[in-house]
Amino acid sequence: MRLNDLIKTQRSKTIYNLYLLPEEPFLQYLVMSQVEKKAGLLRRTSSSKKPLKEKVVLMYDEIFAKEDPAKNNPRFWDELFLMKVNLEYLESKLESVNGEEVQRIQDNINSLFHHCVQALGEEHQIKVVNALQTLCALFRGVHQKNKSASGFDIINMLMGFDKAEQRMKDLMERLDSLLCGDSSESLKSLCLKLLLCLVTVTDNISQNTILEYVMINSIFEAILQILSDPSSRGQHGYDAVVLLALLVNYRKYESVNPYIVKLSIVDDEPTLDGMGVVLHQALTEYNRQYKDKEEENQGGFFSTLTSMVGSMFIADVDEKLSVQTNEAILLALYEAVHLNRNFITVLAQSHPEIDIPVTPSTPTPTTPTTPLGTTPPSLDVMNNPELPLDPNLQTSNLLITFLKYASIVMQDTKDEHRLNSARLCLIILTCIAEDQYADAFLHDDNINFRVSLHRMPMRHRKKAAGKNIPSRPLVCAVLDLMVEFIVTHMMKDFPMDLYLRCVQIIHKLLCYQKKCRIRLHYTWRELWSALINLLKFLLSNETTLLAKHNIFHLALLVVNLFNMFITYGDTFLPTSNSYDELYYEIVRMHQVFDNLYCMVLRVSTNTGQWKEAASKVTHALVNIRAIINHFNPKIESYAAVNHISQLSEEQVLEVVRSNYDTLTLKLQDGLDQFERYSEQPKEAAFFKELVRSISLNVRKNVSLNTLSQDVLLKEFSTIS
């Protein structure tokens, strides 16, 4: 008899009969699932009869009774995993039991866990699906009930402490087998969802004691296999890299984490490339959605209002475009860049840049309405890493995509969430700027790109036209991003930490240019102007800023950037004219440097907490003051002799060029040295809170109903 005929026959019977144990459990399960109405835990047979509980709910109740449920029914566990899982009821049951009941039913809960693991080895896929979902409900329900309990108590309740090691070994081995074998893609997805559920059941993943068993029974190789295979990567790559990023952060400062060790030594090219493809597509999808949203706003109602009443609505448009970032993907990118030097090569791999289709050909089941950028890219994108070659197309790579992404998230740092995203972007760039191979690629004049960075809407400047962007080495885009941040975040709630990181990234790039004598053709004047305006801002807001920040540290870094140009500029500035223009800018904006000197001199000669910090700036200004004091009188003399009230730029440059010989400067040590990035201890607190935030977000968005039971039923019930 065909399944459809069987269903028709069964529909003529009363629903009550569906709760009788069938002779053919698997077919009966399918029939029951087809005709079952979605009416919660209870459903009515007729208006005259009392509601009847689902069969699976009755079986759950038996588990939460004192007696062994298999005592009177030897087939209890076989039948349970043929029943459609009721996650809500099972989780609520686990959460509702009190302390005494926990002790009373612990053996039954242990038995349920054990039989879930056993069911993962069953041939019937339906049993495997239900076992995976039941395990998720167990992990979530027990942790939700026992938030204040120790990890050992939770382990004991779930599987029995004396048997936990073997139970978790069996579980991890079967998950590994499902992930690496020929099982259904839906099952592999459920396995990853279960692992993500397990990792994120506690707010702080380092307090999740069960993960000790995940460290011992590693699934690292299974994750790598998913990333190395194009088909598997397209289906599961996103969950795989997020899972890996979280596992890497389990007790990373307290003990040896095997996932850190293994990730740091991966040198398999297909695997690293696969990880790069997943990260690239996730960031690309976010960039595309942001661009679409931006264009929609520009062409819609806000655009009309702006044209009518000027720029008063710019802030509203900007707020409209403020979208949630994807820290999980950023964390995965950071761990890859920070831990694995081989991954740096993946950043540079070029391919043609094409628009990603807005509507996927095959809709991907996702969790209900999640913020922009927090869901994986559509499957058609993930399944097509090999893009068509066309010499007329602009080429791109993961680094370019990341720079564009960073230019979006760094625009708005008004809340803690976006501030952390911007900080993580700058930490990633810091790691890149310190890497010799990355620096070589960034500065390679034979590999040029047009990088269209997003710029914050500002009233005093026009929106840059993307078509006019020149093709340049990638380091120019990095410098543009740093300059853009510097000029757009001088505000009351000053992001000091981000400014320090920006200036340090610039310094590291200059150190590489000086070391390798690379004469970069860049509009250095924009950088000098941005830095001088930053000093001007610090001076204007001294009192307010000093209440929160050590502004002298930032001022010292900025002044030393100028000292780098003054002392070593002849080794890396593109032309002698560039060196002349540097002196011109210093002389032209001498009032800012004079005011800075007066301020730091005042603070350094008084007793106070900033005395030493201000004194360092005083010493650092020696050559800048020498330049100002040397050239200013000569410029004034030139103007007086030639009876010119206002000198042109060319006239000032002429005075500068003709008076270099008599200028005396002091040699300053250590300008081309910097402290290398170290996560521990400086960044440990930041990453701890970041991982907590990511874990909460993943827990909220990960649902085993992502692949609904109806979809799974249809997939596994093709019986003729």
Side-chain angles (χ1 to χ4, degrees):
M1 181 182 293
R2 294 177 61 86
L3 177 62
N4 289 339
D5 295 332
L6 183 60
I7 291 171
K8 289 177 182 177
T9 303
Q10 292 293 332
R11 279 175 178 162
S12 63
K13 299 180 180 180
T14 63
I15 294 178
Y16 181 82
N17 288 332
L18 294 176
Y19 296 95
L20 299 177
L21 295 180
E23 292 181 2
E24 298 181 50
F26 184 56
L27 282 179
Q28 186 62 58
Y29 168 80
L30 301 177
V31 174
M32 194 164 64
S33 299
Q34 290 285 343
V35 300
E36 200 173 58
K37 294 181 180 179
K38 297 177 181 178
L41 303 181
L42 305 175
R43 83 178 55 78
R44 296 181 179 277
T45 56
S46 70
S47 58
S48 61
K49 294 185 178 181
K50 292 182 179 181
L52 293 174
K53 285 188 176 182
E54 293 177 77
K55 177 64 181 177
V56 73
V57 169
L58 293 172
M59 298 184 82
Y60 289 155
D61 288 342
E62 289 186 59
I63 294 172
F64 284 88
K66 185 176 181 181
E67 294 293 327
D68 178 0
K71 182 177 181 180
N72 298 320
N73 179 9
R75 295 182 59 202
F76 179 87
W77 298 111
D78 286 332
E79 292 163 3
L80 176 66
F81 294 111
L82 286 171
M83 299 291 149
K84 182 177 178 180
V85 178
N86 192 319
L87 288 167
E88 183 181 352
Y89 185 82
L90 182 54
E91 284 187 48
S92 64
K93 260 296 200 186
L94 287 163
E95 291 176 30
S96 65
V97 293
N98 59 36
E100 292 182 2
E101 288 176 314
V102 168
Q103 296 296 323
R104 181 167 52 82
I105 65 169
Q106 181 175 312
D107 288 344
N108 287 355
I109 298 298
N110 291 173
S111 188
L112 174 59
F113 187 94
H114 170 63
H115 283 93
C116 282
V117 175
Q118 294 294 104
L120 295 183
E122 291 278 356
E123 289 184 15
H124 284 320
Q125 304 276 271
I126 285 293
K127 285 189 174 183
V128 180
V129 169
N130 288 332
L132 287 168
Q133 294 186 329
T134 304
L135 281 168
C136 183
L138 275 172
F139 285 129
R140 288 197 297 220
V142 169
H143 277 88
Q144 191 66 26
K145 169 63 183 175
N146 299 278
K147 284 185 175 180
S148 60
S150 71
F152 300 108
D153 291 336
I154 288 173
I155 290 171
N156 198 37
M157 181 179 178
L158 273 173
M159 54 197 107
F161 199 71
D162 57 332
K163 299 176 182 176
E165 188 172 340
Q166 186 60 48
R167 295 281 187 268
M168 285 301 298
K169 182 176 184 292
D170 293 342
L171 173 60
M172 298 308 295
E173 285 179 352
R174 289 186 177 170
L175 290 176
D176 184 85
S177 178
L178 288 168
L179 288 171
C180 297
D182 297 327
S183 56
S184 156
E185 297 300 334
S186 299
L187 279 184
K188 290 182 179 181
S189 180
L190 280 174
C191 288
L192 288 169
K193 300 294 184 190
L194 172 63
L195 286 164
L196 284 170
C197 172
L198 170 58
V199 171
T200 60
V201 285
T202 56
D203 293 352
N204 181 352
I205 66 171
S206 293
Q207 293 177 351
N208 186 354
T209 313
I210 295 178
L211 292 187
E212 286 294 333
Y213 300 110
V214 183
M215 296 294 117
I216 297 168
N217 305 286
S218 174
I219 52 161
F220 184 81
E221 288 72 21
I223 293 174
L224 294 197
Q225 183 172 316
I226 289 171
L227 296 175
S228 62
D229 177 69
S231 175
S232 183
R233 178 173 67 234
Q235 295 280 344
H236 317 297
Y238 183 90
D239 283 346
V241 296
V242 172
L243 176 62
L244 179 59
L246 290 171
L247 289 173
V248 161
N249 280 276
Y250 173 72
R251 301 188 69 186
K252 68 192 306 187
Y253 308 120
E254 303 161 37
S255 60
V256 177
N257 182 320
Y259 290 85
I260 292 178
V261 177
K262 291 181 178 183
L263 179 58
S264 66
I265 59 176
V266 173
D267 59 0
D268 179 62
E269 192 173 330
T271 301
L272 293 173
D273 290 348
M275 188 182 299
V277 167
V278 174
L279 297 171
H280 179 264
Q281 297 296 359
L283 297 177
T284 299
E285 178 74 359
Y286 177 92
N287 293 348
R288 182 194 62 74
Q289 291 183 42
Y290 180 88
K291 185 179 179 182
D292 289 347
K293 202 174 181 76
E294 187 179 44
E295 290 175 353
E296 177 186 331
N297 283 332
Q298 288 173 352
F301 180 67
F302 281 105
S303 177
T304 305
L305 285 179
T306 303
S307 63
M308 290 172 58
V309 294
S311 58
M312 63 183 291
F313 285 97
I314 283 180
D316 295 324
V317 177
D318 187 37
E319 187 65 28
K320 182 80 171 178
L321 292 173
S322 293
V323 288
Q324 186 173 335
T325 54
N326 190 339
E327 277 105 341
I329 284 295
L330 278 184
L331 180 65
L333 176 59
Y334 163 75
E335 298 295 358
V337 169
H338 178 233
L339 295 176
N340 191 302
R341 295 204 68 239
N342 298 315
F343 188 78
I344 293 293
T345 61
V346 177
L347 294 173
Q349 289 178 358
S350 300
H351 58 75
E353 186 179 58
I354 62 173
D355 289 331
I356 298 174
V358 177
T359 307
S361 56
T362 305
T364 310
T366 57
T367 49
T369 313
T370 51
L372 181 62
T374 60
T375 52
S378 54
L379 289 183
D380 59 322
V381 174
M382 297 295 290
N383 281 325
N384 289 281
E386 298 299 328
L387 301 174
L389 295 175
D390 184 340
N392 297 319
L393 286 174
Q394 161 71 20
T395 54
S396 183
N397 55 42
L398 175 55
L399 183 53
I400 292 174
T401 303
F402 168 67
L403 290 174
K404 291 181 179 180
Y405 181 90
S407 72
I408 295 171
V409 303
M410 286 168 60
Q411 287 183 32
D412 184 1
T413 59
K414 292 177 183 175
D415 64 38
E416 187 176 2
H417 181 80
R418 296 187 182 102
L419 186 69
N420 287 340
S421 294
R423 181 178 289 122
L424 186 51
C425 284
L426 289 172
I427 290 175
I428 293 170
L429 282 173
T430 299
C431 295
I432 291 171
E434 288 184 4
D435 187 271
Q436 292 292 308
Y437 178 85
D439 280 327
F441 173 74
L442 286 172
H443 291 86
D444 193 335
D445 199 36
N446 297 312
I447 310 176
N448 295 331
F449 298 90
R450 291 185 178 89
V451 184
S452 179
L453 300 176
H454 292 265
R455 305 180 77 200
M456 186 183 293
M458 298 183 74
R459 294 179 177 87
H460 65 274
R461 69 179 183 185
K462 294 181 180 179
K463 185 175 176 64
K467 295 180 181 179
N468 298 328
I469 298 172
S471 185
R472 304 174 296 171
L474 264 181
V475 68
C476 295
V478 178
L479 290 169
D480 283 348
L481 183 62
M482 298 301 98
V483 170
E484 173 67 12
F485 182 86
I486 290 171
V487 300
T488 56
H489 289 77
M490 298 180 211
M491 52 193 180
K492 184 178 179 181
D493 191 11
F494 189 69
M496 172 63 78
D497 177 70
L498 302 190
Y499 269 96
L500 290 171
R501 295 179 193 275
C502 273
V503 175
Q504 287 167 343
I505 289 168
I506 295 169
H507 179 234
K508 288 170 183 179
L509 294 174
L510 291 181
C511 288
Y512 179 81
Q513 291 167 26
K514 179 258 177 184
K515 176 184 175 183
C516 299
R517 294 183 172 267
I518 295 173
R519 298 189 181 276
L520 183 67
H521 289 273
Y522 182 72
T523 50
W524 292 110
R525 267 194 168 184
E526 291 185 6
L527 173 61
W528 299 330
S529 176
L531 293 173
I532 291 171
N533 283 327
L534 174 56
L535 291 176
K536 191 175 180 180
F537 175 81
L538 297 179
L539 287 166
S540 301
N541 298 274
E542 174 193 350
T543 305
T544 305
L545 292 175
L546 274 178
K548 298 179 179 180
H549 310 291
N550 177 5
I551 63 173
F552 301 106
H553 181 41
L554 178 58
L556 178 64
L557 294 177
V558 172
V559 169
N560 277 338
L561 279 186
F562 280 101
N563 286 329
M564 273 285 290
F565 283 104
I566 293 167
T567 308
Y568 303 117
D570 59 331
T571 66
F572 62 82
L573 286 172
T575 64
S576 58
N577 284 343
S578 301
Y579 202 67
D580 300 337
E581 288 170 357
L582 168 67
Y583 279 63
Y584 171 80
E585 285 298 314
I586 292 173
V587 172
R588 185 176 72 88
M589 301 299 292
H590 70 90
Q591 195 65 54
V592 174
F593 293 105
D594 290 342
N595 292 341
L596 176 63
Y597 180 74
C598 291
M599 188 257 277
V600 295
L601 186 64
R602 166 173 47 84
V603 175
S604 64
T605 52
N606 295 325
T607 56
Q609 72 176 114
W610 308 118
K611 179 181 175 68
E612 185 179 349
S615 179
K616 291 179 180 178
V617 183
T618 306
H619 296 306
L621 282 167
V622 60
N623 281 340
I624 293 176
R625 295 191 69 242
I627 291 169
I628 293 169
N629 294 334
H630 176 74
F631 286 108
N632 260 354
K634 290 180 169 43
I635 291 170
E636 291 170 3
S637 174
Y638 179 90
V641 169
N642 293 279
H643 306 289
I644 304 172
S645 58
Q646 189 81 26
L647 295 181
S648 67
E649 179 178 333
E650 189 52 47
Q651 289 170 325
V652 174
L653 286 171
E654 183 183 334
V655 175
V656 169
R657 292 187 191 105
S658 59
N659 287 280
Y660 276 131
D661 294 343
T662 53
L663 174 64
T664 302
L665 298 175
K666 289 186 178 180
L667 183 63
Q668 294 178 307
D669 296 327
L671 292 175
D672 58 345
Q673 304 296 316
F674 59 83
E675 182 182 355
R676 294 191 65 83
Y677 171 78
S678 175
E679 182 181 319
Q680 171 76 344
K682 289 185 178 180
E683 311 292 349
F686 166 69
F687 277 102
K688 183 178 178 180
E689 288 306 310
L690 180 72
V691 172
R692 179 190 293 269
S693 172
I694 292 171
S695 179
L696 290 171
N697 194 49
V698 170
R699 185 200 309 168
K700 182 175 65 176
N701 290 317
V702 168
S703 168
L704 291 185
N705 290 323
T706 298
L707 288 171
S708 72
Q709 290 172 319
D710 292 336
V711 174
L712 291 166
L713 179 62
K714 184 177 180 181
E715 178 179 345
F716 298 130
S717 62
T718 51
I719 304 173
S720 298

